[in-house]
Amino acid sequence: MFIQFGIKDFIDILLVAIILYETYRLLRRSGAKNLFWGILIFIAAWFLVCFIFKLELTGALFDRIISVGAIAIIVIFQNEIRNLFYRLGARFSSFRLMQNRQQEDDTMIQQVILACRHLADKKTGALIVLAGNQNVKEYTDTGEEIEAMVSAPLLENIFFKNTPLHDGAVIITDNRIKAAACILPVSKQDLPLQFGLRHRAALGISERENNTLAIVVSEETGHIAIAQNSHIKEVNNEELVQLLYQHFSTNATN
């Protein structure tokens, strides 16, 4: 007679192994490692008596001990059990926070891309700095505080010609527009003639702050350029999307 072993049996064994391993880790930290092995030996003996040898009287005695022992273990190890459930809840909460953060990043990136495309089509000059979660207070203090959610219409209104905030840079950190009309350090590198003051400022912030990414929309040509890690280059729409997602993906793993 052959023993049938399917995927359900594999999952069953895997779950039991995980439960036993986590229980062992929990009891080892509390200094009760020997108690774990004692409980495991008792459970193995109970399984042999009840299911292999089928000794009814001894099995009934083991069943009584198991039922009472389970309650005793809960009482004795109530702090450890509480810590276990707390850790499980903390892991779930951190997973939810990561998901929410990813959704916020995606929304912000899409809004920035949309704004850049509209500004480029209208040949409206713009300088947008994505600073992640690093401290850029020395730069935001030079401009006007905004503290608003990132949206394409808001970015387009800020850089609309002849408005009070259109000169200078918009700085985005923690997925929010922190400030506009900010003054950035200007790079002294030799740049091609098509690059103007905005490009030098974008390159300057990338030289000072390694984890920033600056986007420039040229007022003369409507071309989009990216400054990152002390380098600047013009990009098309596909490259803009790729570089933005790559930037946030790299910073998320750091």
Side-chain angles (χ1 to χ4, degrees), residues 82-96:
R82 182 175 59 190
N83 291 337
L84 174 62
F85 283 110
Y86 176 81
R87 292 207 322 273
L88 290 174
R91 289 180 182 178
F92 179 75
S93 297
S94 63
F95 176 72
R96 291 293 300 273

Side-chain angles (χ1 to χ4, degrees), residues 95-168:
F95 176 72
R96 291 293 300 273
L97 287 173
M98 288 177 60
Q99 279 191 320
N100 292 338
R101 179 72 182 190
Q102 182 64 50
Q103 292 175 353
E104 290 176 3
D105 287 348
D106 288 344
T107 301
M108 189 274 293
I109 291 172
Q110 291 167 9
Q111 291 299 309
V112 170
I113 291 171
L114 185 61
C116 289
R117 288 174 177 173
H118 289 170
L119 292 166
D121 290 341
K122 300 173 186 176
K123 291 188 177 181
T124 301
L127 173 52
I128 302 171
V129 177
L130 305 179
N133 58 359
Q134 61 184 329
N135 186 6
V136 288
K137 192 174 186 298
E138 63 175 302
Y139 307 114
T140 56
D141 285 346
T142 63
E144 296 294 329
E145 184 178 1
I146 302 293
E147 196 63 44
M149 296 296 295
V150 179
S151 70
L154 178 56
L155 289 171
E156 292 175 49
N157 285 331
I158 289 174
F159 289 111
F160 190 77
K161 295 179 181 179
N162 300 323
T163 57
L165 300 179
H166 84 283
D167 282 331

